[in-house]
Amino acid sequence: MKNPIYVTQPAMPPLEEFTQYLEKIWGNKILTNNGPFHQQFEKELADYLGVKYVSLFSNGTLALITALQALKVTGEVITTPFSFVATAHSLWWNGIKPVFVDIEPYFCNLDAEKIEAAITPQTTAIMPVHVYGNICEVDKIQKIADAYGLKLIYDAAHAFGVKVDGNSILNFGDLSVLSFHATKVFNTIEGGAIVSHDEKTKTRIDFLKNFGYDGELRVVAPGINAKMNEVQAAYGLLQLKYVDRAISNRQRISDLYKELLHNIKGLAFQNDQIDVIHNHAYFPVFIDEQLFGMSRDGLNEFMKSNGVFGRRYFYPLISQFPTYKGLSSSNPANLPVAELAAKKVFCLPIYADLDLDDVKRICTLIKSAGK
Ligand SMILES: *Cc1c(COP(=O)(O)O)cnc(C)c1O
């Protein structure tokens, strides 16, 4: 059997370049607490992304939790069950009740048409996810948030570098939260960030991630420790030099998948959104068991036995985990589109260093599975 291929593999910068950054850290002995690399990375990242303010975090989940704290979100929050479990966990850790709303069937994002019906007097915010880096219906969702006086926080963990009509998707809503986990398009090993649009909010977020400290002696809130350290920030600065190349490699892989998989009965994939610069974070395919001749789980097992390890993102739905299963909005009858997508979806390997010959081999395997 050939070398196994996993759904992702982290992009890493050249080690000899990283050691130069490490030498600086060993020289100045500044390891954390808003050091020089942290400050430089926040600035360069904001420039790269085309956003006003970035607050760096030790990971995306703490950034989500802190974003909710920063806007004092309470009560109920409308969100999607079709995401990584951290989306809902960030609500739970704030004592907020997630209210799951169904997704739309093509891009698998929160269905804007179904949000209003889920709003109650306890609703204070909406937390949608740009799933797979496909953008949500941001204008429609903003209109609902404005009409009902709700905060809008995007879980943008998949949306690094995504733009619509030349504008960063991170500029929509009140806040957007990024993850720089090893498995994401852009990684700082672990890491994350909150994107905000005004200095006051940025300052408040920065207090909250550092125990609530405003200066040396004043603590203005029950903050947490969610700071990014200097080693991560240095690594991130270096990663920024290589991320465009990583995304264009991903584009090439995505294009080849589309070319080789376009006429397979019972296998569907998502075409790119119009006027969107995509990051090709994932390559999900959707398996119709009847037409394809094999179930999604059957395909997963078949691929595994041939050394190809895809992932069923997002199965099971968040609403099916024990913490959330008892909520009335978790009833499968409330979430038919998400339930179906979770049964059909299979994410194929995609990462910057994936060989195009391996993509061809994966496609040949898929074709032989359907027969
Ligand atoms: C990865 C991810 C997170 C969590 O980010 P971490 O940096 O791993 O804590 C949150 N939401 C979504 C949608 C994710 O994919």
Side-chain angles (χ1 to χ4, degrees), residues 58-62 64 83-87 129 155-158 178-181 183-184 190-192 282 314:
S58 49
N59 63 63
T61 303
L62 283 168
L64 279 170
S83 180
F84 182 60
V85 71
T87 309
V129 182
D155 179 339
H158 299 181
L178 291 162
S179 165
F180 309 142
H181 183 259
T183 55
K184 305 299 206 271
E190 294 261 9
Y282 298 87
F314 287 100

Side-chain angles (χ1 to χ4, degrees), residues 166-345:
N167 182 17
S168 171
I169 195 63
L170 308 170
N171 286 322
F172 293 85
D174 293 300
L175 298 173
S176 288
V177 177
L178 291 162
S179 165
F180 309 142
H181 183 259
T183 55
K184 305 299 206 271
V185 167
F186 176 89
N187 83 79
T188 59
I189 307 173
E190 294 261 9
I194 302 179
V195 170
S196 55
H197 316 312
D198 63 88
E199 201 175 343
K200 243 165 70 178
T201 309
K202 150 88 172 147
T203 304
R204 181 158 170 78
I205 291 164
D206 290 346
F207 291 162
L208 285 171
K209 73 172 190 190
N210 185 32
F211 309 98
Y213 268 107
D214 166 17
E216 196 185 324
L217 298 175
R218 206 156 77 120
V219 172
V220 294
I224 197 158
N225 181 4
K227 302 185 298 290
M228 179 179 277
N229 67 53
E230 283 292 278
V231 178
Q232 281 173 292
Y235 183 96
L237 268 171
L238 193 48
Q239 289 283 62
L240 267 185
K241 293 192 194 172
Y242 297 97
V243 67
D244 283 340
R245 200 193 57 128
I247 291 173
S248 65
N249 285 359
R250 285 171 174 275
Q251 163 110 51
R252 218 167 299 139
I253 291 159
S254 172
D255 289 348
L256 185 56
Y257 271 134
K258 284 175 188 163
E259 185 191 320
L260 298 176
L261 298 176
H262 81 274
N263 55 2
I264 298 180
K265 246 200 199 159
L267 181 148
F269 53 75
Q270 299 171 328
N271 283 303
D272 288 356
Q273 292 171 308
I274 298 159
D275 299 325
V276 171
I277 295 176
H278 211 278
N279 62 9
H280 308 284
Y282 298 87
F283 196 90
V285 297
F286 299 85
I287 302 299
D288 180 318
E289 182 172 355
Q290 299 301 317
L291 291 174
F292 186 70
M294 186 186 257
S295 69
R296 182 277 311 271
D297 288 342
L299 177 64
N300 183 31
E301 289 307 316
F302 173 79
M303 299 302 281
K304 269 203 246 178
S305 68
N306 285 282
V308 177
F309 297 84
R311 287 298 289 271
R312 290 166 285 180
Y313 296 140
F314 287 100
Y315 166 83
L317 294 177
I318 300 176
S319 46
Q320 286 305 306
F321 291 123
T323 313
Y324 306 104
K325 212 174 156 63
L327 298 171
S328 60
S329 66
S330 294
N331 188 335
N334 182 47
L335 307 166
V337 182
E339 292 280 347
L340 191 60
K343 280 198 187 81
K344 292 167 86 169
V345 72

Side-chain angles (χ1 to χ4, degrees), residues 25-259:
I25 295 172
W26 259 251
N28 67 17
K29 308 257 189 283
I30 301 173
L31 296 181
T32 186
N33 286 12
N34 199 27
F37 282 132
H38 185 283
Q39 291 177 26
Q40 192 187 344
F41 184 37
E42 278 198 346
K43 281 208 189 70
E44 289 195 18
L45 193 54
D47 285 347
Y48 177 86
L49 294 170
V51 303
K52 234 170 166 168
Y53 298 104
V54 167
S55 297
L56 296 172
F57 277 76
S58 49
N59 63 63
T61 303
L62 283 168
L64 279 170
I65 289 172
T66 307
L68 291 159
Q69 284 280 323
L71 300 185
K72 297 187 187 284
V73 176
T74 57
E76 295 178 2
V77 170
I78 288 169
T79 189
T80 172
F82 195 78
S83 180
F84 182 60
V85 71
T87 309
H89 281 355
S90 72
L91 299 169
W92 205 265
W93 273 68
N94 275 291
I96 295 164
K97 178 174 163 186
V99 174
F100 296 113
V101 164
D102 209 0
I103 59 174
E104 39 82 14
Y106 193 82
F107 289 115
C108 300
N109 282 328
L110 193 61
D111 188 341
E113 304 298 331
K114 292 181 181 154
I115 292 173
E116 266 189 280
I119 296 173
T120 77
Q122 282 71 50
T123 310
T124 61
I126 308 171
M127 186 184 270
V129 182
H130 302 296
V131 179
Y132 309 133
N134 291 311
I135 66 171
C136 294
E137 293 189 280
V138 286
D139 294 332
K140 273 191 197 168
I141 298 173
Q142 188 65 60
K143 267 192 194 140
I144 296 167
D146 290 344
Y148 288 86
L150 305 176
K151 298 282 197 275
L152 179 51
I153 300 175
Y154 282 101
D155 179 339
H158 299 181
F160 187 93
V162 174
K163 292 188 172 175
V164 57
D165 296 321
N167 182 17
S168 171
I169 195 63
L170 308 170
N171 286 322
F172 293 85
D174 293 300
L175 298 173
S176 288
V177 177
L178 291 162
S179 165
F180 309 142
H181 183 259
T183 55
K184 305 299 206 271
V185 167
F186 176 89
N187 83 79
T188 59
I189 307 173
E190 294 261 9
I194 302 179
V195 170
S196 55
H197 316 312
D198 63 88
E199 201 175 343
K200 243 165 70 178
T201 309
K202 150 88 172 147
T203 304
R204 181 158 170 78
I205 291 164
D206 290 346
F207 291 162
L208 285 171
K209 73 172 190 190
N210 185 32
F211 309 98
Y213 268 107
D214 166 17
E216 196 185 324
L217 298 175
R218 206 156 77 120
V219 172
V220 294
I224 197 158
N225 181 4
K227 302 185 298 290
M228 179 179 277
N229 67 53
E230 283 292 278
V231 178
Q232 281 173 292
Y235 183 96
L237 268 171
L238 193 48
Q239 289 283 62
L240 267 185
K241 293 192 194 172
Y242 297 97
V243 67
D244 283 340
R245 200 193 57 128
I247 291 173
S248 65
N249 285 359
R250 285 171 174 275
Q251 163 110 51
R252 218 167 299 139
I253 291 159
S254 172
D255 289 348
L256 185 56
Y257 271 134
K258 284 175 188 163
E259 185 191 320

Side-chain angles (χ1 to χ4, degrees), residues 343-359:
K343 280 198 187 81
K344 292 167 86 169
V345 72
F346 185 56
C347 287
L348 301 179
I350 187 165
Y351 48 88
D353 299 321
L354 179 60
D355 208 276
L356 293 181
D357 284 335
D358 284 331
V359 174

